[in-house]
Amino acid sequence: MTIVPIPAFSDNYIWMLEREGRVAVVDPGDANPVLAVLQERGVILDTLIITHHHFDHTGGVRALKEKTNCRVVGPDNPKIEGIDEKLGDGDIVHVLGYDFAVLEVPGHTLDHIALHCADESVLFCGDTLFVGGCGRVFEGTYPMMQSSLAKLAALPPETAVYCTHEYTLANLAFARKVEPDNEDLLAHASKCERMRAENIPTVPSTIGRELEINPFLRWSSPAVIAQLTHEGRFEGGSPAEVFGAVRAWKDEG
Ligand code: ZN
Ligand code: FE
């Protein structure tokens, strides 16, 4: 599967999958950079995939649909204009001949979905899981977000994680406050700093890598629990409560 990023706004990636002259585009917040790439590469827009209703993920849908007559698949949410096929948990959606399984991952928003292609080990997860971080919990609850992240964490470790924002350096700076002695984290932070200095995207990551470095998936880590306890932010509890304490800490900063 050929996947390339189309940068948009200040830190969004609009992911484009290409197969035999046709493309699918994930979360087109802005139509203009997408139209420019379609023209440059001489490809036909087949499908738009939407992960959730936020404007920076949907703002380009109307213009792209009008100009190209593409199909649009996404959450079952009337707030999103132009969805042709509404997707829910357990659905399989065919895009450019690939099969994607739909996972409902509420928390950042209530309508948020992620799409997983097991054959190609690819995950599009919007604003749910980031490199070294996760989306803010705007509409759901911390336990809801934790159980959504647990669904993603259970995917095969080699799964490539295509999220929508380049928030990595800020996320890893926070992650180092949570786990100052995590060697995998320190090594990954140096690598990402070098990549950003050369303007290389730090996305995709992998599920396996995120399990090693992402404090929002490390609710079972004794080091994370010890640090939260040391900070007076945690008095014992479930994985959802560990997650909630980490998320509340990040939200302060
Ligand atoms: Zn969002
Ligand atoms: Fe976003």
Side-chain angles (χ1 to χ4, degrees), residues 12 27 51-57 108-109 112 126-128 130 135-136 138 164-165 167:
N12 283 57
D27 285 349
T51 64
H52 66 292
H53 71 85
H54 283 159
F55 186 75
D56 66 307
H57 300 249
H108 176 69
T109 61
H112 207 306
D127 287 355
T128 296
F130 293 130
R136 274 184 183 258
F138 286 123
T164 311
H165 291 275
Y167 289 159

Side-chain angles (χ1 to χ4, degrees), residues 178 221-234 242 249:
V178 182
S221 156
V224 169
I225 292 169
Q227 184 74 343
L228 290 170
T229 308
H230 174 73
E231 292 277 327
R233 296 172 178 277
F234 184 65
V242 178
W249 187 2

Side-chain angles (χ1 to χ4, degrees), residues 54-136:
H54 283 159
F55 186 75
D56 66 307
H57 300 249
T58 57
V61 171
R62 184 202 289 249
L64 289 169
K65 204 173 170 177
E66 274 174 17
K67 291 214 163 76
T68 69
N69 204 26
C70 61
R71 117 176 130 138
V72 186
V73 303
D76 185 1
N77 180 351
K79 271 191 194 164
I80 311 172
E81 263 183 74
I83 303 274
D84 302 306
E85 288 168 45
K86 296 177 190 290
L87 305 176
D89 219 35
D91 288 347
I92 302 288
V93 59
H94 308 285
V95 178
L96 303 177
Y98 298 108
D99 287 351
F100 283 88
V102 178
L103 300 153
E104 287 182 6
V105 286
H108 176 69
T109 61
L110 293 177
D111 67 350
H112 207 306
I113 57 170
L115 285 96
H116 175 229
C117 178
D119 295 331
E120 299 284 325
S121 294
V122 164
L123 173 72
F124 294 106
C125 57
D127 287 355
T128 296
L129 179 62
F130 293 130
V131 182
C134 75
R136 274 184 183 258

